[in-house]
Amino acid sequence: MTSIFGPGALAGAMLAASAIAAGAQSITVVLPEEPPSLEPCESKHSSVGRVIIRNVTQSLTVIDPDTGALEPLLATDWEQIDPLTWHFTLRDGVTFSDGAAFDSAAVAAAIDRLQRDDIVCNTKEQTLGGVELTVTPVDALTVEIRTSEPVPILPTMMSVVQMSAPGMPLEGASREPVGTGPYTLVAWKPGESISLAARDDYWGETPEVSEATFVWRSESAVRAAMVQKGEADIALVIAGVDATDPEMDFAYPNGETTRMRISTQVPPLDDIRVRRAMNLALDLEAMKPIIGSEAQLASQLVGPAVNGFNTALQPFGYDPAEATALIEAARADGVPVDTTITIIGREGIYPGSTEILEAMQALWSEIGLTTEIRTFDTGNWLRYQNRPFPEPDMPNVHTDQHDNLLGDATFTLFNKYHSEGVNSTLADAEVDALIEKGEPATGDARAEAFQSTFARLHDDLVADIFMYHMVGYTRVSPRVTWKPSVSTNSELDLSQVGMAD
């Protein structure tokens, strides 16, 4: 297996093989799951983002995955006018694939799409949190964006807001995205494949790959075997145990952190002793080989490169005796610790996730807890991910994987932990106040507020079952020249894929 940061029977196979044979510049990518939609404002969901980001849709700014630097894309420049107001200068000569002009009115329409309330738009919830945006065209190529509160990192936030064409319908989550990117959607065959083709009228450089077909297989070993057999070119998100070919397999830090979100307001999980015990009962170090030995134990939902990461926090460690004692103390005080706790999983969320949940269930049984596992497809899992929760009185721990590629804790904290966050099960006034203190601040004050938030979440609330900073594994065919980056789990920029000689 190659590491880019150091040492380190196939159902439907004929479909993938025929896609490769269709032309020398065609590739097939095999994903772990079918996207629930191709809605631009749901692109923060990795299953959507891997298909459309930088391929069909683009943003005003972009983060370089190698350096972390903020760079221009559809906006060529930006300026802060006052604490609430920014002006963005737009790139001239850009059009959407339906022929519509990309201008300031189009930016206003795209951001209005982001802020509609007929669906849960995860880009808005996970990135903008409680901030409202008011967009006003200044002229054709200058747009004013005014925020409801000071947002000193608005240009960074705009790197995840996908610019969708004004003509896209606003009812529900779209399956037919229209953007400014180098590719257009050709076909979506539900349950089978999604096909993209390069545009003839793209404003930028013509990509080398002219056609891409996305297929999906839930089993990591199947995805890896498809590349091995020449039935696919890139297999995303394979398990470490399947990354056995050093010529084709790449390990990379993927920016993801895993946790089990706890329903902290539902008995018996409203008792901090039970939450702490569930952490102490897990031998996470021994479980690492299931997902990859290069993963690191986590103590918070962001990695060390993120502004606001708290270096003083440590993983809970493995102490089953203490965990058992905590459960028994809670039982003695009348906490209903015999209530069945539901473990919510998602198909294909990361390689080995099923085995991880089964190991957790066994270890929690050893300290006297009763659990059941319910595994959902992506669409139904999202119902439990987002408020309003479908079973609000069900004690549960919910499988979650979160990336923060933008480098600032604000993109994690509001959505995941604020009392108004769409993914949050917390209602803690101190957490809310710390988040609200950090968001408009800059420099050390910003970092310190976010570090204090993570400390309260870990030490005082035990808000999560903290798991791993993940490492990704991807298999790449020798037919193509491409290596994964820290952003690969969230997006696959087809313009960076070349064809080998």
Side-chain angles (χ1 to χ4, degrees):
M1 176 178 62
T2 302
S3 171
I4 64 171
F5 56 86
L10 298 177
M14 290 302 293
L15 173 65
S18 65
I20 292 176
Q25 311 305 312
S26 298
I27 68 167
T28 295
V29 179
V30 56
L31 306 172
E33 57 192 334
E34 181 174 14
S37 76
L38 292 178
E39 168 57 53
C41 85
E42 291 188 340
S43 62
K44 277 295 290 176
H45 193 286
S46 58
S47 65
V48 178
R50 291 169 187 146
V51 178
I52 69 170
I53 292 179
R54 300 213 208 183
N55 299 325
V56 177
T57 61
Q58 297 173 312
S59 50
L60 296 182
T61 61
V62 67
I63 301 290
D64 185 300
D66 297 321
T67 67
L70 183 67
E71 297 180 346
L73 187 56
L74 293 177
T76 58
D77 197 10
W78 47 88
E79 176 186 11
Q80 187 169 18
I81 307 303
D82 61 47
L84 299 178
T85 310
W86 294 77
H87 283 185
F88 288 80
T89 302
L90 308 181
R91 190 177 298 277
D92 196 7
V94 176
T95 62
F96 292 94
S97 61
D98 63 357
F102 173 73
D103 56 16
S104 58
V107 174
I111 294 178
D112 284 346
R113 181 182 190 85
L114 181 80
Q115 299 187 108
R116 63 203 176 106
D117 57 12
D118 66 309
I119 64 172
V120 176
C121 180
N122 65 7
T123 298
K124 175 189 175 182
E125 300 295 346
Q126 295 185 29
T127 305
L128 301 179
V131 177
E132 297 295 325
L133 304 181
T134 302
V135 186
T136 305
V138 176
D139 56 44
L141 295 178
T142 307
V143 65
E144 179 178 284
I145 302 179
R146 187 171 177 84
T147 58
S148 58
E149 59 187 67
V151 182
I153 58 170
L154 184 67
T156 301
M157 284 185 168
M158 297 311 296
S159 69
V160 299
V161 177
Q162 302 300 300
M163 295 291 111
S164 52
M168 285 185 63
L170 289 175
E171 297 77 26
S174 176
R175 297 173 70 89
E176 299 180 358
V178 180
T180 61
Y183 294 88
T184 59
L185 176 69
V186 175
W188 185 346
K189 300 177 181 178
E192 294 184 15
S193 66
I194 294 171
S195 301
L196 305 182
R199 290 174 55 184
D200 294 331
D201 61 344
Y202 176 55
W203 62 268
E205 295 183 7
T206 301
E208 190 169 345
V209 172
S210 59
E211 299 175 355
T213 299
F214 294 85
V215 297
W216 38 88
R217 305 290 184 267
S218 59
E219 300 87 353
S220 167
V222 172
R223 295 195 295 277
M226 289 179 71
V227 177
Q228 188 79 40
K229 294 173 178 290
E231 295 161 347
D233 297 292
I234 298 173
L236 293 180
V237 197
I238 65 171
V241 294
D242 298 320
T244 56
D245 189 328
E247 298 300 318
M248 293 196 293
D249 296 331
F250 296 87
Y252 58 98
N254 67 10
E256 299 276 9
T257 300
T258 53
R259 67 166 180 167
M260 302 298 293
R261 184 193 66 194
I262 304 174
S263 56
T264 57
Q265 299 182 65
V266 184
L269 298 175
D270 60 343
D271 191 291
I272 192 172
R273 292 169 294 184
V274 177
R275 302 197 298 272
R276 192 178 300 277
M278 294 185 80
N279 275 275
L280 292 169
L282 300 182
D283 192 352
L284 293 171
E285 194 67 46
M287 292 159 61
K288 277 202 315 187
I290 297 174
I291 57 170
S293 59
E294 295 180 52
Q296 300 296 315
L297 268 59
S299 60
Q300 55 210 286
L301 199 53
V302 297
V306 172
N307 181 40
F309 178 83
N310 191 324
T311 58
L313 301 180
Q314 298 296 318
F316 280 100
Y318 178 49
D319 192 338
E322 176 64 15
T324 301
L326 286 168
I327 294 299
E328 291 309 312
R331 188 194 307 276
D333 288 343
V335 177
V337 295
D338 294 326
T339 303
T340 298
I341 298 168
T342 300
I343 304 171
I344 297 176
R346 188 187 104 200
E347 296 173 355
I349 188 169
Y350 52 81
S353 60
T354 298
E355 292 82 356
I356 287 285
L357 297 189
E358 290 172 347
M360 288 180 169
Q361 183 178 43
L363 290 167
W364 286 330
S365 175
E366 291 180 4
I367 66 167
L369 295 177
T370 301
T371 62
E372 63 172 358
I373 298 174
R374 295 173 65 183
T375 301
F376 297 99
D377 61 20
T378 303
N380 282 309
W381 173 86
L382 283 169
R383 294 174 58 240
Y384 289 87
Q385 172 82 340
N386 299 324
R387 289 179 169 180
F389 303 123
E391 298 178 66
D393 297 329
M394 178 180 70
N396 70 85
V397 291
H398 177 275
T399 306
D400 192 19
Q401 179 169 244
H402 170 68
D403 73 68
N404 187 324
L405 301 179
L406 304 183
D408 190 274
T410 192
F411 299 112
T412 299
L413 287 172
F414 187 95
N415 172 54
K416 299 295 185 181
Y417 298 111
H418 193 280
S419 60
E420 296 181 5
V422 72
N423 293 164
S424 176
T425 63
L426 287 176
D428 184 80
E430 186 172 337
V431 166
D432 290 355
L434 285 167
I435 294 171
E436 291 163 10
K437 178 182 179 181
E439 286 182 332
T442 59
D444 290 345
R446 185 181 188 88
E448 289 167 4
F450 292 155
Q451 289 163 357
S452 296
T453 310
F454 284 121
R456 178 158 180 78
L457 293 169
H458 181 278
D459 297 341
D460 302 333
L461 300 179
V462 193
D464 290 328
I465 295 154
F466 302 97
M467 295 172 61
Y468 302 103
H469 300 303
M470 303 289 278
V471 171
Y473 301 87
T474 289
R475 177 164 289 185
V476 182
S477 165
R479 289 185 70 245
V480 301
T481 57
W482 175 80
K483 289 184 179 181
S485 72
V486 68
S487 65
T488 296
N489 222 48
S490 302
E491 59 188 66
L492 173 58
D493 185 353
L494 293 170
S495 69
Q496 300 299 309
V497 181
M499 307 303 296
D501 294 335

